Amino acid sequence: MYRIEFNDFFTSAFSVDCIIFGYSQGEIKALLIKRAMEPFENLWAIPGDLIYPDEDLEEAAERVLFELTGLKQIAMHQSQTFGKPNRHPQGRVITVSYFALIRIDDFEVKASSWAGDVQWVSLKNMPELAFDHNHILSSTYDMLKLKLQNEPVCFDLLPERFTLNELQQLYEFAFDQAFDKANFRKKIKYIPLIAHDEKQKNVKHRPAKLFSFDQKTYVDAVTSNHYTFKM
Amino acid sequence: MYRIEFNDFFTSAFSVDCIIFGYSQGEIKALLIKRAMEPFENLWAIPGDLIYPDEDLEEAAERVLFELTGLKQIAMHQSQTFGKPNRHPQGRVITVSYFALIRIDDFEVKASSWAGDVQWVSLKNMPELAFDHNHILSSTYDMLKLKLQNEPVCFDLLPERFTLNELQQLYEFAFDQAFDKANFRKKIKYIPLIAHDEKQKNVKHRPAKLFSFDQKTYVDAVTSNHYTFKM
DNA sequence: TTAAATTATTGTCCAAATTACAATAATTAA
DNA sequence: TTAATTATTGTAATTTGGACAATAATTTAA
């Protein structure tokens, strides 16, 4: 059996792929870029980049997010790592995928050197993507759905003030099933929300009350060990 | 701003760390090795190895498991990836952690070149480990607990035939809380189990009936879209 | 052989959560 | 002012969950 030298291992690269999820018009969407060069020229892809030698993984994912959206201080969630030897046609590249949840209205997409065309694409209507990105995206979406059930990350997707129906519709989209309105409101009874006097505007019917997530009360409830978010 | 050449990225290594969980005497344990060389000589560590240039991640994790236990065809679960630039004193090493669930009685630990001393260590009583392995282990244990609640992986830890009390005690250990026997049995009512005529042996009291997990019925129930495992 | 001790297994009752569905309230638009 | 539309709240039946009790089966020691 031949012996592999230690240095032979240092022949691979690693990258992060950063799935940016947003929510608008009743649909969860991912921000994708159109590749301007080979391989997979003209196909849509998840934004990503190689990790610098001294850079932490999460830091690299934050950099990719920033370059594309200008947003900082957004929580990054690690999803999974993909490393089939032939997943990248130009060499061995292992990629760690992260996802970020943002409010679509909070920023403007920036063009960047490596991303000429950028677009929000609904998860209901996903085209063929470059590399193994369809696989990465769908695993990461599964992980998002898991978090939606166990942590209050839904409020990172919704506008700061939202109606209870908008909240419900987000879950209906994610889990592809309709819920009873009255029962949905009972279910969220213990989530700390602030009810505002403000109401929905520009709707052709009775406007709904606006709510926001009460982060402070939530943290208190969790740390004083009573409450766990569950959907 | 200086430009980083493409080849500069190929200066890092990847490894897998393979957390092998087992269950015996009412405790969930991890199989650890004692390091025989620097760095961290004489400290306990999670078994792991560098990934070969042409090797798939999961394949590498299976190899580590096999070298230590002789077991093959065990499901590997990816947990998380750890890549702080300074986590390894000898260079940049990003590590992907996997975990395997095995029946402690199904094998004999093998000594291997890199693992002189090998030992099962209870998760209730974990010493200081090498590198960032305490952190890796505790995140991975969290992931195991998540799976215990959503997938029937408990049966990979228990002997093929087990008593309902043994099943209960496994969950009591993992979630560090006692459950009512009668209520626990109601909760598992829909998990497909095969009741055998055989009974517990060598106990000083009324022996409990032995059960085994009915994999086939489980798969049928899931695919015919009725059933989801929940604990 | 028998009774005490121990644990397995099943049952009951009450409270809490879930589900299906209905009723009422508040707006807009005509 | 009224019809249309959606928001919001309520009710009753059903299911689930938790506390606790009762009974069954087996071993061990007297």
Side-chain angles (χ1 to χ4, degrees):
Chain A
M1 185 179 165
Y2 81 107
R3 167 138 173 68
I4 298 179
E5 294 299 323
F6 190 73
N7 277 340
D8 289 348
F9 288 102
F10 290 84
T11 57
S12 310
F14 35 92
S15 62
V16 290
D17 283 317
C18 181
I19 294 107
I20 303 167
F21 287 118
Y23 181 67
S24 75
Q25 288 150 299
E27 296 192 313
I28 300 178
K29 298 171 182 178
L31 196 56
L32 300 180
I33 61 171
K34 192 169 200 167
R35 288 184 61 82
M37 59 172 83
E38 290 294 341
F40 301 106
E41 187 169 354
N42 290 324
L43 278 194
W44 292 93
I46 299 166
D49 200 2
L50 293 174
I51 299 169
Y52 295 156
D54 286 328
E55 192 177 37
D56 192 10
L57 307 180
E58 197 169 309
E59 202 181 315
E62 283 165 2
R63 177 168 53 80
V64 170
L65 173 67
F66 178 74
E67 284 173 1
L68 210 55
T69 66
L71 294 175
K72 280 190 177 181
Q73 308 240 288
I74 302 288
M76 305 300 304
H77 308 267
Q78 190 183 106
S79 101
Q80 279 190 272
T81 298
F82 301 86
K84 289 218 183 305
N86 60 355
R87 61 173 292 282
H88 194 299
Q90 294 178 321
R92 178 93 198 253
V93 181
I94 293 179
T95 196
V96 184
S97 75
Y98 279 83
F99 66 92
L101 304 174
I102 70 171
R103 294 173 178 148
I104 288 193
D105 300 332
D106 276 9
F107 74 100
E108 269 179 49
V109 173
K110 283 195 203 171
S112 84
S113 55
W114 40 273
D117 206 353
V118 177
Q119 196 174 298
W120 286 106
V121 182
S122 166
L123 293 175
K124 276 269 161 58
N125 194 19
M126 195 49 60
E128 189 202 340
L129 304 179
F131 305 100
D132 52 357
H133 285 189
N134 286 95
H135 179 217
I136 293 179
L137 184 55
S138 80
S139 316
T140 302
Y141 186 37
D142 287 344
M143 200 143 296
L144 168 60
K145 287 189 267 189
L146 200 61
K147 290 230 178 189
L148 282 171
Q149 285 178 316
N150 299 295
E151 294 171 43
V153 293
C154 51
F155 305 112
D156 295 336
L157 288 170
L158 290 168
E160 200 263 325
R161 296 189 175 198
F162 52 85
T163 70
L164 298 183
N165 251 341
E166 285 168 345
L167 178 61
Q168 178 173 344
Q169 282 157 15
L170 170 54
Y171 278 90
E172 289 183 336
F173 180 90
F175 297 100
D176 198 23
Q177 83 179 276
F179 301 110
D180 179 276
K181 277 189 180 190
N183 297 336
F184 185 83
R185 279 150 199 250
K186 278 184 216 159
K187 181 143 81 174
I188 65 173
K189 190 166 45 169
Y190 298 111
I191 301 177
L193 297 179
I194 299 166
H196 298 279
D197 288 334
E198 195 187 348
K199 298 201 172 138
Q200 225 178 359
K201 292 211 171 66
N202 302 321
V203 286
K204 297 199 209 317
H205 51 75
R206 173 180 171 184
K209 198 183 272 194
L210 291 177
F211 292 82
S212 58
F213 179 55
D214 189 345
Q215 180 81 39
K216 187 173 175 320
T217 302
Y218 168 74
V219 172
D220 287 354
V222 168
T223 54
S224 70
N225 227 317
H226 296 312
Y227 177 71
T228 54
F229 181 95
K230 264 291 169 198
M231 286 293 282
Chain B
M1 186 177 162
Y2 80 106
R3 169 139 171 66
I4 297 178
E5 295 298 325
F6 192 73
N7 278 339
D8 288 348
F9 287 103
F10 289 85
T11 56
S12 311
F14 306 100
S15 62
V16 289
D17 283 316
C18 180
I19 293 107
I20 304 167
F21 288 117
Y23 181 66
S24 75
Q25 290 150 297
E27 296 192 313
I28 300 178
K29 298 170 182 178
L31 196 56
L32 300 179
I33 61 170
K34 193 169 201 168
R35 288 184 61 83
M37 58 172 83
E38 290 294 340
F40 299 106
E41 187 170 354
N42 290 323
L43 277 194
W44 293 93
I46 299 165
D49 201 2
L50 294 174
I51 299 170
Y52 294 156
D54 287 328
E55 193 177 35
D56 191 11
L57 307 179
E58 195 169 312
E59 203 181 314
E62 283 164 2
R63 176 168 56 79
V64 170
L65 173 67
F66 178 74
E67 284 173 1
L68 211 55
T69 67
L71 293 176
K72 281 188 176 181
Q73 309 238 287
I74 303 288
M76 304 300 302
H77 308 265
Q78 192 182 105
S79 98
Q80 280 187 269
T81 298
F82 301 86
K84 289 219 182 304
N86 60 355
R87 61 172 293 280
H88 194 298
Q90 293 177 323
R92 178 95 198 249
V93 181
I94 293 180
T95 196
V96 184
S97 76
Y98 278 82
F99 67 91
L101 304 174
I102 69 172
R103 293 172 178 148
I104 289 192
D105 301 332
D106 276 8
F107 74 101
E108 269 180 49
V109 174
K110 283 194 202 169
S112 85
S113 54
W114 41 272
D117 206 352
V118 177
Q119 197 174 295
W120 286 105
V121 181
S122 166
L123 294 177
K124 275 269 161 59
N125 194 18
M126 195 49 60
E128 190 202 339
L129 304 180
F131 305 100
D132 52 358
H133 285 190
N134 286 95
H135 178 219
I136 293 178
L137 184 55
S138 79
S139 317
T140 302
Y141 186 37
D142 287 344
M143 201 145 295
L144 168 60
K145 286 189 268 188
L146 200 61
K147 290 229 179 190
L148 283 170
Q149 286 178 314
N150 299 297
E151 293 170 42
V153 294
C154 51
F155 306 111
D156 295 335
L157 287 169
L158 291 168
E160 200 263 325
R161 296 188 176 199
F162 52 85
T163 70
L164 297 184
N165 251 339
E166 284 168 345
L167 178 61
Q168 178 173 346
Q169 282 158 14
L170 171 54
Y171 278 91
E172 289 184 337
F173 181 90
F175 297 98
D176 198 23
Q177 80 178 279
F179 302 110
D180 179 277
K181 277 189 182 191
N183 297 337
F184 185 83
R185 279 150 199 250
K186 277 184 221 159
K187 180 143 81 174
I188 64 174
K189 189 166 45 171
Y190 297 112
I191 301 177
L193 297 179
I194 299 166
H196 298 279
D197 289 334
E198 195 187 348
K199 296 197 173 141
Q200 225 177 359
K201 291 209 171 69
N202 302 321
V203 286
K204 298 198 206 325
H205 52 75
R206 173 179 172 184
K209 197 183 274 196
L210 291 177
F211 292 82
S212 57
F213 178 55
D214 189 345
Q215 180 81 41
K216 187 173 176 317
T217 302
Y218 168 73
V219 172
D220 286 355
V222 168
T223 53
S224 71
N225 226 320
H226 296 310
Y227 177 70
T228 53
F229 181 95
K230 264 292 169 197
M231 286 293 282

